[in-house]
Amino acid sequence: MSNGSVERRIRRRSVHPSRSTAVSVALVVLVLVAAWIGTESVLQAVGSAPLVADPQTVVDAALQPDGAFVTIAEVIAVVLVVLGIVLVVLALKPGRQHRSAVEHDRGAVVIDTAILASTAANAAALAAGLPEDHAKASARGRSSEVRLVPLSGVPVDQAAVRSAVEDRLGRLDARFGKRVKVRVDEKGTLA
């Protein structure tokens, strides 16, 4: 296996979460139901009392249901349908963690979106001449949004701030500096 394919796999596994938890939960439930059915069958075969209900009684109740059995069956059916829908959604949705892979000549590099947001906020605060706690940023995918709270009486040049943020994020990876939105609050605060 080449070094490039290993790095691609590492990046992919770092960015896309594993579905092993959902699979494990489904398998544990399936094993428990199978173990219960097997235990009840063995207990009936040896003539012992059932743990919950022997399989023959369950089958007879299903073939000639009364009101209580129908209600229990409906509740179980609803729970199974909801569980099935959740598992189908988990299996089909692309699943993404808050990380982005970055091309680098020395290996696989993965950056958390909180790092991107912090970098954008830092660049915006420096460009606007504001303290760092006056700049908040969020990053999602390849877009970033910066919110600035200016000091009272000190104007903020939105274009200069956007350019500084685009430049700083673009140095990390060209994809991150493309969609930057800067909002400046109308009301400032005192220094």
Side-chain angles (χ1 to χ4, degrees):
M1 195 178 310
S2 71
N3 195 24
S5 65
V6 170
E7 288 177 11
R8 277 193 304 275
R9 187 180 320 152
I10 290 171
R11 279 191 219 111
R12 174 152 174 64
R13 286 189 176 202
S14 297
V15 174
H16 299 280
S18 170
R19 292 183 174 97
S20 61
T21 303
V23 171
S24 298
V25 168
L27 287 176
V28 165
V29 168
L30 185 65
V31 166
L32 289 175
V33 168
W36 172 72
I37 291 172
T39 303
E40 294 293 359
S41 298
V42 168
L43 288 175
Q44 183 184 17
V46 296
S48 296
L51 293 174
V52 178
D54 66 278
Q56 187 60 47
T57 305
V58 172
V59 170
D60 291 343
L63 294 176
Q64 297 173 355
D66 61 348
F69 182 81
V70 170
T71 304
I72 291 171
E74 288 172 348
V75 169
I76 290 172
V78 167
V79 168
L80 290 176
V81 165
V82 169
L83 180 65
I85 290 171
V86 167
L87 290 175
V88 167
V89 167
L90 284 174
L92 296 179
K93 80 174 196 172
R96 223 163 131 76
Q97 294 182 340
H98 300 288
R99 299 180 187 148
S100 296
V102 176
E103 294 297 325
H104 195 276
D105 58 343
R106 295 180 66 192
V109 176
V110 178
I111 297 178
D112 192 51
T113 55
I115 302 282
L116 292 173
S118 176
T119 302
N122 179 271
L126 284 175
L130 296 172
E132 283 197 37
D133 61 335
H134 285 247
K136 305 281 187 239
S138 63
R140 184 176 184 128
R142 292 181 174 91
S143 63
S144 300
E145 183 175 334
V146 179
R147 184 178 151 262
L148 296 171
V149 179
L151 297 173
S152 291
V154 179
V156 173
D157 184 5
Q158 251 182 314
V161 171
R162 182 180 299 109
S163 175
V165 173
E166 288 172 350
D167 179 54
R168 177 84 66 88
L169 292 177
R171 281 187 266 155
L172 291 173
D173 192 317
R175 298 172 296 168
F176 300 135
K178 290 184 178 177
R179 290 190 292 179
V180 175
K181 183 177 178 184
V182 176
R183 288 185 334 178
V184 179
D185 286 358
E186 292 179 16
K187 294 183 180 181
T189 62
L190 297 175

